Amino acid sequence: MQDHHLSTYAAGLDTAGFTIIPDVFSAAAVDAMLTTIAGADQTGPNFRRTADLFAIRSFLQEVPAIAALVFSPALQQIVRQLLGEDYFLVKSIYFDKPGDSNWLVAWHQDLTISVAAKLPVPGYDRWSVKQEQYAVQPPADILESNYTIRIHLDDTDEQNGALKVLPGTHRKGIYRADSIDFGATPEVCCAVKKGGVMMMRPLLMHASGRSSNGHNRRVIHLEFSNRTLAGGLQWAERPA
């Protein structure tokens, strides 16, 4: 993967708030990831399984053998070239949406970050906790500087819950989904082939529908930042 090739994706990430890079991982690399996930001890509280969704929170900590596969030279180059040398991982989740899943996600922005402990810090509010992992809404400028990388382990289209996005909405700040003008900003379906990567800004308005084609939608969701949090707050998953 050449640097000049990656530069073609930078404009979309900046102006539209997302971009799709195909063939970042080979089929063999994806299969190796799936084998590693299947072999993990899935009894811990960060493993959630229902009829509609299987999820692993703190994914890289729960399945440490996956890190060498995920942070391939190609992905490391994407982070360096499109985000910056100073960006680091702050959150990781694995999602497996089965082919007959009725799980859908309404239009929303990703407004929270995961932190190691709850501390009273001005500008950080709307605290919540899941499986002993604290989430909080930080100041908007932190969300505006963060990025998400989604590694697709299956071919994904609108029939099995591909993300729908409203291009450019990451530039509108934080706002309510019920204020969306779909006439002014038509939705785009982000179809991604197995081994491809979707990159997006957290404030990009996005959603996903139910599955209708019987095919899984397995995704590794990684969040990156280059920011230090205020008041002693620490990112939950920043590598040591």
Side-chain angles (χ1 to χ4, degrees):
M1 187 176 295
Q2 299 298 313
D3 291 359
H4 68 270
H5 167 70
L6 282 179
S7 66
T8 63
Y9 298 102
L13 192 57
D14 181 48
T15 59
F18 75 100
T19 193
I20 295 168
I21 307 176
D23 303 319
V24 176
F25 295 90
S26 68
V30 170
D31 291 344
M33 290 187 212
L34 293 171
T35 298
T36 301
I37 294 165
D41 178 359
Q42 300 181 4
T43 59
N46 282 323
F47 292 77
R48 173 192 170 201
R49 188 184 294 277
T50 68
D52 288 323
L53 176 68
F54 172 49
I56 308 172
R57 294 185 176 276
S58 301
F59 175 55
L60 291 174
Q61 295 175 4
E62 293 286 352
V63 190
I66 203 78
L69 300 171
V70 166
F71 284 99
S72 66
L75 190 79
Q76 291 184 58
Q77 187 175 359
I78 286 170
V79 173
R80 286 195 309 269
Q81 297 296 323
L82 294 185
L83 307 188
E85 296 278 358
D86 56 342
Y87 273 79
F88 48 86
L89 180 87
V90 296
K91 186 175 182 178
S92 61
I93 310 174
Y94 169 73
F95 293 110
D96 178 358
K97 185 175 181 178
D100 56 356
S101 173
N102 283 318
W103 180 57
L104 58 80
V105 181
W107 288 103
H108 70 287
Q109 298 170 299
D110 290 339
L111 297 179
T112 64
I113 59 173
S114 294
V115 295
K118 183 176 181 179
L119 299 172
V121 179
Y124 292 75
D125 53 22
R126 303 193 180 188
W127 285 91
S128 63
V129 60
K130 291 182 180 178
Q131 287 86 41
E132 300 182 2
Q133 186 175 80
Y134 291 96
V136 65
Q137 183 171 322
D141 64 294
I142 290 178
L143 297 172
E144 288 166 352
S145 67
N146 285 3
Y147 292 88
T148 296
I149 295 180
R150 294 166 56 90
I151 302 169
H152 284 253
L153 308 182
D154 296 290
D155 290 347
T156 305
D157 58 25
E158 58 189 343
Q159 267 71 56
N160 65 334
L163 281 192
K164 300 177 289 185
V165 302
L166 301 181
T169 49
H170 66 298
R171 294 176 173 269
K172 294 177 177 287
I174 296 171
Y175 70 106
R176 293 173 56 88
D178 58 17
S179 67
I180 295 171
D181 180 354
F182 288 97
T185 311
E187 68 181 57
V188 172
C189 177
C190 297
V192 185
K193 290 289 190 180
K194 174 179 177 177
V197 159
M198 179 197 176
M199 303 178 66
M200 60 179 283
R201 312 293 290 270
L203 293 183
L204 181 71
M205 193 66 74
H206 58 286
S208 68
R210 295 181 175 90
S211 295
S212 60
N213 65 357
H215 296 162
N216 284 55
R217 190 208 72 179
R218 292 170 291 192
V219 171
I220 297 171
H221 171 110
L222 307 173
E223 297 179 15
F224 294 84
S225 185
N226 66 345
R227 302 291 295 274
T228 299
L229 303 178
L233 288 170
Q234 300 294 325
W235 295 102
E237 297 181 52
R238 181 174 184 176

Short mmCIF file of all heavy atoms in Angstrom, two decimals, residues 7 22 24 35 56-57 79 81 90 93 107-108 118 125 129 131 142 154 165 167 185 190 198 224 235:
data_model
loop_
_atom_site.label_atom_id
_atom_site.label_comp_id
_atom_site.label_asym_id
_atom_site.label_seq_id
_atom_site.Cartn_x
_atom_site.Cartn_y
_atom_site.Cartn_z
N SER A 7 -3.39 8.78 0.10
CA SER A 7 -3.75 10.20 0.11
C SER A 7 -5.08 10.44 -0.61
O SER A 7 -5.76 11.44 -0.34
CB SER A 7 -2.64 11.03 -0.53
OG SER A 7 -2.52 10.73 -1.92
N PRO A 22 -10.66 -0.47 0.29
CA PRO A 22 -10.82 -1.91 0.06
C PRO A 22 -9.50 -2.67 0.22
O PRO A 22 -8.40 -2.09 0.15
CB PRO A 22 -11.31 -1.97 -1.38
CG PRO A 22 -10.69 -0.76 -2.03
CD PRO A 22 -10.66 0.30 -0.97
N VAL A 24 -7.64 -4.06 2.51
CA VAL A 24 -6.58 -3.77 3.48
C VAL A 24 -6.06 -5.08 4.08
O VAL A 24 -4.86 -5.22 4.35
CB VAL A 24 -7.11 -2.83 4.58
CG1 VAL A 24 -6.04 -2.62 5.66
CG2 VAL A 24 -7.55 -1.50 3.99
N THR A 35 -10.58 -17.15 13.29
CA THR A 35 -10.15 -18.35 14.02
C THR A 35 -9.68 -17.98 15.42
O THR A 35 -9.99 -18.66 16.41
CB THR A 35 -9.02 -19.05 13.26
OG1 THR A 35 -9.52 -19.48 11.99
CG2 THR A 35 -8.51 -20.27 14.02
N ILE A 56 -17.88 -8.25 21.87
CA ILE A 56 -16.78 -8.34 22.83
C ILE A 56 -16.28 -6.92 23.08
O ILE A 56 -15.74 -6.28 22.17
CB ILE A 56 -15.62 -9.20 22.32
CG1 ILE A 56 -16.12 -10.57 21.85
CG2 ILE A 56 -14.57 -9.37 23.41
CD1 ILE A 56 -15.04 -11.41 21.16
N ARG A 57 -16.48 -6.43 24.30
CA ARG A 57 -15.95 -5.12 24.68
C ARG A 57 -14.50 -5.26 25.13
O ARG A 57 -14.07 -6.35 25.52
CB ARG A 57 -16.81 -4.50 25.78
CG ARG A 57 -18.21 -4.17 25.32
CD ARG A 57 -19.01 -3.45 26.40
NE ARG A 57 -20.32 -3.06 25.88
CZ ARG A 57 -20.55 -1.96 25.18
NH1 ARG A 57 -19.56 -1.11 24.93
NH2 ARG A 57 -21.75 -1.68 24.73
N VAL A 79 -3.13 4.39 9.76
CA VAL A 79 -3.18 5.25 10.94
C VAL A 79 -2.16 6.39 10.82
O VAL A 79 -2.48 7.57 11.05
CB VAL A 79 -2.94 4.44 12.23
CG1 VAL A 79 -2.82 5.37 13.43
CG2 VAL A 79 -4.07 3.43 12.45
N GLN A 81 -0.64 7.65 8.09
CA GLN A 81 -0.80 8.55 6.95
C GLN A 81 -2.10 9.35 6.99
O GLN A 81 -2.14 10.51 6.58
CB GLN A 81 -0.73 7.75 5.64
CG GLN A 81 0.60 7.07 5.41
CD GLN A 81 1.74 8.06 5.24
OE1 GLN A 81 1.57 9.11 4.66
NE2 GLN A 81 2.91 7.71 5.74
N VAL A 90 -7.83 3.92 21.59
CA VAL A 90 -8.47 4.23 22.87
C VAL A 90 -9.68 3.33 23.15
O VAL A 90 -10.19 3.32 24.28
CB VAL A 90 -8.90 5.71 22.95
CG1 VAL A 90 -7.67 6.61 22.91
CG2 VAL A 90 -9.87 6.08 21.84
N ILE A 93 -13.94 -2.82 20.03
CA ILE A 93 -15.11 -3.68 20.20
C ILE A 93 -15.20 -4.61 18.98
O ILE A 93 -14.88 -4.21 17.86
CB ILE A 93 -16.43 -2.87 20.28
CG1 ILE A 93 -16.33 -1.73 21.31
CG2 ILE A 93 -17.60 -3.78 20.64
CD1 ILE A 93 -17.56 -0.84 21.32
N TRP A 107 -30.52 6.48 13.95
CA TRP A 107 -29.58 7.55 13.62
C TRP A 107 -29.00 8.15 14.90
O TRP A 107 -29.73 8.48 15.84
CB TRP A 107 -30.28 8.64 12.80
CG TRP A 107 -30.59 8.20 11.41
CD1 TRP A 107 -31.80 7.82 10.92
CD2 TRP A 107 -29.65 8.08 10.34
NE1 TRP A 107 -31.67 7.46 9.59
CE2 TRP A 107 -30.37 7.60 9.21
CE3 TRP A 107 -28.28 8.30 10.21
CZ2 TRP A 107 -29.76 7.37 7.98
CZ3 TRP A 107 -27.67 8.07 8.99
CH2 TRP A 107 -28.41 7.61 7.89
N HIS A 108 -27.68 8.30 14.93
CA HIS A 108 -27.01 8.82 16.12
C HIS A 108 -25.60 9.27 15.78
O HIS A 108 -25.06 8.94 14.72
CB HIS A 108 -26.96 7.76 17.22
CG HIS A 108 -26.03 6.63 16.91
ND1 HIS A 108 -26.33 5.66 15.96
CD2 HIS A 108 -24.80 6.29 17.40
CE1 HIS A 108 -25.34 4.79 15.89
NE2 HIS A 108 -24.40 5.15 16.74
N LYS A 118 -14.12 6.85 36.97
CA LYS A 118 -15.01 8.01 37.00
C LYS A 118 -14.44 9.08 37.92
O LYS A 118 -14.20 8.83 39.11
CB LYS A 118 -16.40 7.59 37.48
CG LYS A 118 -17.42 8.73 37.47
CD LYS A 118 -18.80 8.23 37.88
CE LYS A 118 -19.81 9.37 37.85
NZ LYS A 118 -21.17 8.90 38.22
N ASP A 125 -19.50 14.77 31.07
CA ASP A 125 -20.77 14.46 31.73
C ASP A 125 -21.46 13.28 31.05
O ASP A 125 -20.90 12.64 30.19
CB ASP A 125 -21.68 15.70 31.76
CG ASP A 125 -21.88 16.33 30.39
OD1 ASP A 125 -21.70 15.63 29.38
OD2 ASP A 125 -22.22 17.53 30.33
N VAL A 129 -21.91 3.21 32.90
CA VAL A 129 -20.96 2.12 33.12
C VAL A 129 -21.55 0.82 32.58
O VAL A 129 -22.73 0.55 32.78
CB VAL A 129 -20.59 1.98 34.62
CG1 VAL A 129 -21.82 1.69 35.48
CG2 VAL A 129 -19.51 0.93 34.82
N GLN A 131 -20.26 -3.31 32.27
CA GLN A 131 -19.23 -4.30 32.60
C GLN A 131 -17.98 -3.62 33.19
O GLN A 131 -16.85 -3.90 32.79
CB GLN A 131 -18.85 -5.13 31.37
CG GLN A 131 -19.89 -6.15 30.95
CD GLN A 131 -20.95 -5.55 30.05
OE1 GLN A 131 -20.66 -4.76 29.16
NE2 GLN A 131 -22.19 -5.92 30.27
N ILE A 142 -12.78 17.10 21.58
CA ILE A 142 -12.15 15.78 21.60
C ILE A 142 -12.83 14.86 20.60
O ILE A 142 -12.17 14.15 19.83
CB ILE A 142 -12.18 15.20 23.03
CG1 ILE A 142 -11.22 15.98 23.92
CG2 ILE A 142 -11.83 13.70 23.02
CD1 ILE A 142 -11.19 15.54 25.35
N ASP A 154 -16.67 -9.59 6.88
CA ASP A 154 -17.63 -10.17 5.94
C ASP A 154 -17.94 -9.13 4.87
O ASP A 154 -17.81 -7.93 5.12
CB ASP A 154 -18.96 -10.54 6.63
CG ASP A 154 -18.82 -11.62 7.67
OD1 ASP A 154 -18.59 -12.77 7.28
OD2 ASP A 154 -18.94 -11.31 8.88
N VAL A 165 -24.88 6.50 6.41
CA VAL A 165 -24.32 7.73 6.94
C VAL A 165 -24.92 8.94 6.22
O VAL A 165 -25.45 8.82 5.11
CB VAL A 165 -22.78 7.77 6.80
CG1 VAL A 165 -22.15 6.58 7.52
CG2 VAL A 165 -22.35 7.79 5.34
N PRO A 167 -23.40 12.18 4.84
CA PRO A 167 -22.10 12.82 4.60
C PRO A 167 -22.06 14.27 5.05
O PRO A 167 -23.01 15.04 4.84
CB PRO A 167 -21.94 12.70 3.08
CG PRO A 167 -22.78 11.52 2.70
CD PRO A 167 -23.95 11.57 3.62
N THR A 185 -29.65 16.33 3.10
CA THR A 185 -28.49 15.43 3.22
C THR A 185 -28.93 13.99 3.02
O THR A 185 -29.25 13.29 3.99
CB THR A 185 -27.82 15.58 4.60
OG1 THR A 185 -27.62 16.97 4.89
CG2 THR A 185 -26.48 14.86 4.65
N CYS A 190 -22.89 2.40 3.22
CA CYS A 190 -21.46 2.12 3.15
C CYS A 190 -21.22 0.62 2.99
O CYS A 190 -20.94 -0.09 3.97
CB CYS A 190 -20.76 2.64 4.40
SG CYS A 190 -20.87 4.43 4.59
N MET A 198 -13.65 0.68 6.76
CA MET A 198 -14.36 1.95 6.72
C MET A 198 -13.79 2.83 7.82
O MET A 198 -13.63 2.38 8.96
CB MET A 198 -15.86 1.76 6.95
CG MET A 198 -16.62 3.08 6.95
SD MET A 198 -18.25 2.96 7.69
CE MET A 198 -18.77 4.68 7.60
N PHE A 224 -9.58 5.85 17.78
CA PHE A 224 -8.24 6.43 17.93
C PHE A 224 -8.35 7.89 18.34
O PHE A 224 -9.26 8.60 17.91
CB PHE A 224 -7.45 6.33 16.63
CG PHE A 224 -7.13 4.92 16.22
CD1 PHE A 224 -8.05 4.15 15.52
CD2 PHE A 224 -5.89 4.35 16.55
CE1 PHE A 224 -7.75 2.85 15.15
CE2 PHE A 224 -5.59 3.05 16.18
CZ PHE A 224 -6.52 2.30 15.48
N TRP A 235 -7.71 7.29 29.27
CA TRP A 235 -8.38 6.43 28.28
C TRP A 235 -8.39 4.98 28.79
O TRP A 235 -7.38 4.48 29.29
CB TRP A 235 -7.63 6.47 26.95
CG TRP A 235 -7.65 7.82 26.28
CD1 TRP A 235 -6.64 8.73 26.26
CD2 TRP A 235 -8.73 8.40 25.53
NE1 TRP A 235 -7.00 9.83 25.54
CE2 TRP A 235 -8.27 9.65 25.07
CE3 TRP A 235 -10.00 7.97 25.19
CZ2 TRP A 235 -9.08 10.48 24.30
CZ3 TRP A 235 -10.80 8.79 24.43
CH2 TRP A 235 -10.35 10.04 23.98
#
